[in-house]
Amino acid sequence: MLRYIVFFVFTGTFANGINWHSSQIILRHLYDLQDEQFAVIKEYLELETKRIHDLERYINYLYEKDTLLSPIGTSKFMSQVYKNLSEIKKLMNNYNSVKVINQFDEHKAVSEFNMQSAYRSLRRIQKVYAIPASDMAAGRYKDRTIGDPMDACECYFMSKYSFEEYDTYGVIDWAVQAYNKWFTDRPKCVDIDKLHYYTRSASMATGFSFETLLGFSNLNHSDYTELSAHFSLMANALNIRDISAQSSDKIYDKYDDFEQSNLFRHFRYLCREGKSVRPLTYDSKCRYQTKNSPYRMIMPFKEEDISSNPNIKLYHDIIYDEEIKTITDMASKDLSDAAYYFNGKITLLDDQRLGQLKWFSENANPILFGKLNDRIECITEYTTKTAEGYQTINYGLGGHFSVHMDAFTDMTDVPDDGYTVFPNLNYVAHCRKGSALVWLNLRLNNGSVHSGTFHGGCPVIKGNKWIMTKGLYEEGQHLTYNWRDNKIINIV
C-alpha cells in the first residue's frame, strides 16, 4: 500500500467522554455546557426563592390569626388552617426544586477521567520538553509565558495524579511546589496528610532516605519554605541542591533513562531542541516548481528539499487562507477523539495520541477538495482516485502523536502535531500556516517500508493547531512492483 502522506498545516500556535483539553474548538463547547449547568442552578434558586417567600407568607398568616373567632367562623377558620398547613407541607417538600436540581450533574461536563487526562497532558509536556515543576507552576517555559501561574491546589493535584500514575519523581517534584504554595495561606483543597503520604511512598519507592526530604514533623518551622525548595529526594538522588532550570537537564535525563527505545529518546531530544541536527547536503535545494504545468508557470509551487532517502519535500503556501477557514469551519461542527492503530485495532489511548479529528470525503465540498486533489496530483505525480479521504485534526493542550509508521495493510489515521519529528533522520518540521509536508513511506523498488519515515508529533505546549492529512494508496498507481503480492510489511 503506497502512502504518500500530505500534510496541510493550517495554523501556527495561538496565544471521557470528550477529552476537552485536547482541542481548543472542543474546549469552547465546554463553556456551553457550563452555561447549561448554570441555567439549571439559576432556575433552582428562583424556585427555592419563591418557595421560601410563599412559606414565609403562610406562616405569617397563621401568626396573625390570634383573635377569638365566633362559633360561626370556627369551621371556616379550621378549613383555612388545614389548607394552609397542607400548602406548607408541599412547600417544605420542594418537589419542583428537586425535579430541577436532578437535571444538574457535576460530572456531565468534566469527569474524573477528563481531569486525569488533562494532568497527564501537563506531565507529558513537562517530561518531553524538560520543564521543571517550578517553571511549570510559574506558567513559563524558557523565555516565554505558557499559561497562568498554578496555585497550591493545582500543584497538589499534579502530585496526586503523579502518585496514581506511579510517577515517583513527579510526586516529589510537584509536592515541593504544593508545599511552598500551601505554606502561605494553607488552602483546604490541599490535604497535607495525603501529600505527606504521597511523598513518603514515592521516597520509599525510589529507595532514598526519607529523612533528607522535608521537615514534615514540624509544619510551623520557620525555615520550612527553604527546606522544601532544597531538600527534595530528587535533589538528593541527582546530587543537586535546587530543583531549578539549571538542574532540569539532569532530572529529565533520569526520565529518559527509563525509556528503553533509542528512537523515543531521540524523539524527545528533537522536540526539546526544536531544530534539525541533520546538516543540509549538496543536493538540498529550494526552488519554484512548475511540474510542467502551464498554470504553475504563473503560480509555481515553493518547493524545499528535506530528504532524498526517503523522499521528503516541504511545500510552502500551498493552501490559502479562505480555504483554511472553510475547512476548519466545516470540521468544527463535528469533531471526535482521535484514534490510534495499535496491535491491529483502533483504540483511544491519550498517551499515544491526543487530539480531535473529522474525516471528509470529496463530496463534502467537491469544488474545494477537487482543487486540493489537483495540487496533490501535480506535486506527487500520483492519482488521488484511490486515495483515502481528507482527515482534519485539531490539537490543544498536550495534543500529540507518539512515534509511529503510517504504512499498514488497511487504513489508519495519519497524524501531525507541534513539530513533526523524524528521529531517524534528525529532522524537525516546524508548523507553518498553509504549508504541506510530503513524503513517500515505501521504497519504490519493492514496496517495503522505509524506516526513515518513522515520525511523531511533539506535544502542543500552548494554543490551537489545525492540520489536514491525506494518504495515497498503491492501488491505481504506476509502480515497478506488484503491490498485490505484498502481504507482509517489511521495515528496512
Side-chain angles (χ1 to χ4, degrees), residues 324-338:
I324 293 172
K325 185 177 187 308
T326 298
I327 294 172
T328 54
D329 286 347
M330 291 168 57
S332 298
K333 300 173 183 177
D334 187 23
L335 291 167
S336 59
D337 286 333

Side-chain angles (χ1 to χ4, degrees), residues 55 119 217 299 330 403 448:
L55 188 60
Y119 280 107
S217 59
M299 295 184 65
M330 291 168 57
V403 179
S448 61

Side-chain angles (χ1 to χ4, degrees), residues 54-70:
D54 290 345
L55 188 60
E56 184 180 30
R57 178 168 55 84
Y58 279 112
I59 292 175
N60 289 338
Y61 175 80
L62 292 177
Y63 277 114
E64 290 172 359
K65 295 297 180 179
D66 57 355
T67 58
L68 293 175
L69 296 174
S70 65

